[in-house]
Amino acid sequence: MSSSVRVRFAPSPTGPLHIGGVRTALYNYLFARKMGGTFILRIEDTDQTRFVPGAEQYILDSLAWLGISPDEGVGAAGPHAPYRQSERKELYKAYADQLIREEKAYYAFDTSEELDAMRTMFESKGSAFQYNALTRVKLRNSLALPAAEVQALLDVNTPYVIRLKVPAKGEIRFQDSVRDWVHVHTSSIDDKVLMKSDGMPTYHLANVVDDHIMEITHVIRGEEWLPSAPLHILLYQAFGWTAPQFAHLPLLLKPEGNGKLSKRDADLGGFPVFPMEWTDPLTGAVSKGFKQEGYLPEATLNFLAFLGWNPGTEQELFNLTELVDAFSLERINKAGAKFDVNKAKWFNEQYLKQQAPELLAKEYLGHLPSEQGLAFVSLFLDRITFPQELSTLVAAFIESPSTYDEAVIQNKWNAEAEKGLRLLADALPKVGVWQADEIKHAIHECLEAAGIKMGKVMQILRVALSGNGAGPDLMISMQLWGKDQVVERLSAALQAFPQNS
Ligand code: GLU
């Protein structure tokens, strides 16, 4: 099914894409797929002062890692190319000129010094300066100055900006898919700059013009853009275009829920807020990424989908196809979404269990014979959050213990336990087939014959063999260590453990 729904993700390449931006991209992707529409990537790079090399590639790589690459736009072809705003510069001027001709916008020649002076004057009277219907009549612009003077200024190339002539009176209303009706009075909006003096459009003009030309039907973006939406509506009205349907996504909040999630929270909490690792090209500082931390793309997607949306059922695990089926703009929450990294970890654990064990063994335990690698994967899989933990756990598992859990020794090491361990040290070398069930059987038999309860010995046996008081299935562990190792470790422990009086 193909429909006319067209959505866009429109990031500015000013640094690494924040995880909130990835969520915006994901919701756009899900909505496009759900509606049989098109997902477009447009790069909003008109602010050249904030351009960061590598940021655009980072955006493409992050979307590709998650499997939500655009259908159209930067990184794909499309009928409205180019999709980088810096390559569309010429186009915006014509639209600004159209508004000038129709007297919906005007030239403003005020220098920054003049505007600063205005601001200071207003502040001294305890109010804030706004360039608007009340003040514009007293400023240096084509609405206030005589036509001949305006022409003279233009003739000598006096620098100017183009500003939108925001009506003095009027109400702007629009229905947002998430926030429902939004009403704003035009008097609260200033005459925003549309074209800067360097001939570049501002975000507002370029964004609205491109959304119109690219036939965007739904604008799904972060809540931080909600204050700009009334101005955008005014621009659509000024051009005589139909505005797209807006959906402003809830903020991502700190783990504790008070305030916006920041990179500082991430640094303090030791968790990533970027999809992939990012090295700052200026400072060389490295920021953690979900990918490098060991989050699986499926888990990251599932986690992000639930940051501000819910399916209305108890189901929590959704793969991308299921998310597409379940997604709707109506079920996006208004309230901010707490970024709970423990939830992200939980999702990762669930998806890790769904991975093909052969692949995990190959990737993380490739140095071992494949059968052994597989055995380790099944031994440790439900004890890990991130796949790379397999390598460290296995490396530690293979090493003979150099220390023993003191607390367990204090509690459990007594004459009876010692007797049990000594009996096992005799019995285990005689086990015929060194296999978990056989080992278990031999241990049972040996302890039972001596009238010693399993519970008196098993934890101390684990400490003797691994050094730790807890760990994965002990019988399978013993099988994997091999008979010689077990016998050797047991006698080393009997030497090392304190004397029982
Ligand atoms: N370039 C804006 C950003 O960086 C786009 C906002 C929008 O989607 O309209 O988020």
Side-chain angles (χ1 to χ4, degrees), residues 175-212:
Q175 193 170 24
D176 184 276
S177 300
V178 179
R179 326 232 111 220
D180 207 7
W181 283 101
V182 177
H183 304 254
V184 176
H185 199 272
T186 54
S187 61
S188 67
I189 301 176
D190 60 342
D191 290 357
K192 282 275 178 323
V193 174
L194 303 179
M195 291 293 289
K196 294 180 274 188
S197 55
D198 62 1
M200 280 296 239
T202 56
Y203 154 72
H204 303 294
L205 179 68
N207 186 271
V208 164
V209 165
D210 281 346
D211 281 347
H212 173 72

Side-chain angles (χ1 to χ4, degrees), residues 8 10-12 44 203 207 211 219-221 224-225 232:
R8 84 306 192 270
S12 299
E44 302 208 325
Y203 154 72
N207 186 271
D211 281 347
V219 166
I220 304 168
R221 62 183 175 191
E224 62 273 29
W225 301 103
H232 295 176

Side-chain angles (χ1 to χ4, degrees), residues 99 164 194 204-206 208-209 230-241:
L99 293 186
L164 182 68
L194 303 179
H204 303 294
L205 179 68
V208 164
V209 165
L231 172 76
H232 295 176
I233 298 277
L234 276 181
L235 273 170
Y236 284 105
Q237 288 171 355
F239 284 117
W241 299 334

Side-chain angles (χ1 to χ4, degrees), residues 365-376:
L365 303 170
H367 55 292
L368 300 172
S370 61
E371 208 175 307
Q372 208 182 1
L374 269 179
F376 280 129

Side-chain angles (χ1 to χ4, degrees), residues 419-436:
K419 183 175 167 206
L421 275 204
R422 293 204 184 275
L423 288 171
L424 290 178
D426 282 338
L428 288 171
K430 296 178 199 135
V431 173
V433 184
W434 193 256
Q435 198 265 333

